Amino acid sequence: MNAGKIRQILLITDGCSNQGEDPIAMAALANEQGITVNVIGVMEHDVIDEKGMTEIEGIALSGGGVSQIVYAKQLSQTVQMVTRKAMNQTIQGVVNRELQQILGRSQSMEDLPPEKRGEVMEVVDELGETVELEVLILVDTSASMKHKLPTVKEALLDLSLSLNARTGGNQFSVYAFPGKRNDVEKLLDWTPNLQSLTSIFSKLTTGGITPTGPALRTALSSFSEKRNVRSLLSDDDESFFEESV
């Protein structure tokens, strides 16, 4: 059974986007392209912003992902949990589709007898360790995130340690919004080494607006460019091989 590659956008924000496209519509577009959008909403103590919460839940729902509202100090474990949970959810969806092809449309994992369900869950867990994972991390650096950034940095380092322990390949990329000059700024291009995150932390500064929709659009473009580069490379490899023969 091949779950292929799992592509995720991990959005860390306090909600309340206020410029550009509707982030909920952009998340739906990502989902259509096979990219899951997961959202972690970082709140201040005792301040739950209803509008921000509604937006966070809406983005994850239309992006086919997982959302979690946390206080800043709980962020570290949450980043790992949401990434893993979303990965297993995606794999479970793939497994369910395969099961339906084998067992017929009406059946899913829940319809299996307990011992069979246990076996399938083992497959899901194993794929969670071995499947290739691409995560683009979008960090909200608007003015309201100022006090939360140190915790965001710590959470991303913890995520790197957790995911580097997997046997499957990992590719990461990090963008911040708003950027210094544009709505969105690339801080780290696609790399298998999330430890290089430490080099970008000095670039994380807060201030300004919250262009969440444009940030999601840029994230989608980044996945498309990555795929185009990969297909260009494979085409060149093939033509080189033909010429050699």
Side-chain angles (χ1 to χ4, degrees):
M1 193 175 293
N2 177 22
K5 257 190 194 74
I6 289 187
R7 297 181 173 91
Q8 291 188 20
I9 292 170
L10 179 63
L11 172 63
I12 301 175
T13 180
D14 53 6
C16 300
S17 63
N18 55 16
Q19 181 158 318
E21 300 94 328
D22 175 8
I24 293 174
M26 293 312 299
L29 187 60
N31 195 18
E32 280 169 26
Q33 294 178 20
I35 299 162
T36 307
V37 183
N38 307 302
V39 194
I40 296 173
V42 194
M43 297 292 166
E44 294 283 9
H45 274 299
D46 310 321
V47 183
I48 294 287
D49 183 314
E50 291 296 329
K51 184 171 173 282
M53 278 181 71
T54 305
E55 180 175 286
I56 285 159
E57 286 162 6
I59 292 170
L61 192 64
S62 66
V66 176
S67 70
Q68 190 79 30
I69 305 283
V70 291
Y71 291 125
K73 67 177 172 46
Q74 304 161 306
L75 185 64
S76 231
Q77 307 104 299
T78 307
V79 167
Q80 291 177 50
M81 185 199 77
V82 165
T83 306
R84 292 261 177 190
K85 190 173 167 189
M87 188 161 60
N88 281 349
Q89 193 169 287
T90 307
I91 294 167
Q92 218 163 314
V94 172
V95 171
N96 264 335
R97 283 195 294 279
E98 297 236 0
L99 281 177
Q100 283 174 352
Q101 284 174 354
I102 299 162
L103 306 171
R105 281 263 159 246
S106 59
Q107 293 217 286
S108 72
M109 200 146 69
E110 286 69 37
D111 304 319
L112 294 174
E115 69 281 3
K116 284 285 176 203
R117 201 180 311 154
E119 285 173 31
V120 172
M121 283 313 293
E122 276 179 37
V123 172
V124 170
D125 289 343
E126 190 181 328
L127 282 172
E129 283 303 310
T130 57
V131 72
E132 282 193 54
L133 176 65
E134 292 179 355
V135 185
L136 189 149
I137 300 161
L138 271 182
V139 182
D140 177 351
T141 51
S142 59
S144 55
M145 286 287 287
K146 185 170 185 176
H147 303 302
K148 301 159 192 166
L149 270 195
T151 324
V152 169
K153 294 173 183 178
E154 185 190 315
L156 294 183
L157 277 177
D158 278 3
L159 176 67
S160 73
L161 296 172
S162 149
L163 292 183
N164 281 333
R166 296 172 66 246
T167 50
N170 299 310
Q171 285 275 332
F172 306 97
S173 180
V174 184
Y175 284 71
F177 66 100
K180 286 191 179 74
R181 288 178 210 82
N182 302 308
D183 281 349
V184 194
E185 182 181 357
K186 183 199 292 178
L187 298 181
L188 182 66
D189 205 353
W190 289 105
T191 172
N193 179 14
L194 199 55
Q195 266 93 335
S196 35
L197 267 176
T198 45
S199 65
I200 64 156
F201 285 158
S202 58
K203 300 178 194 170
L204 280 177
T205 54
T206 53
I209 49 163
T210 314
T212 313
L216 286 167
R217 176 170 31 80
T218 301
L220 282 188
S221 304
S222 176
F223 276 104
S224 303
E225 284 161 20
K226 189 172 190 298
R227 277 204 289 273
N228 291 342
V229 167
R230 196 183 292 121
S231 60
L232 272 174
L233 286 173
S234 57
D235 288 350
D236 288 350
D237 290 347
E238 280 168 28
S239 56
F240 174 74
F241 179 73
E242 282 160 15
E243 283 164 21
S244 308
V245 173

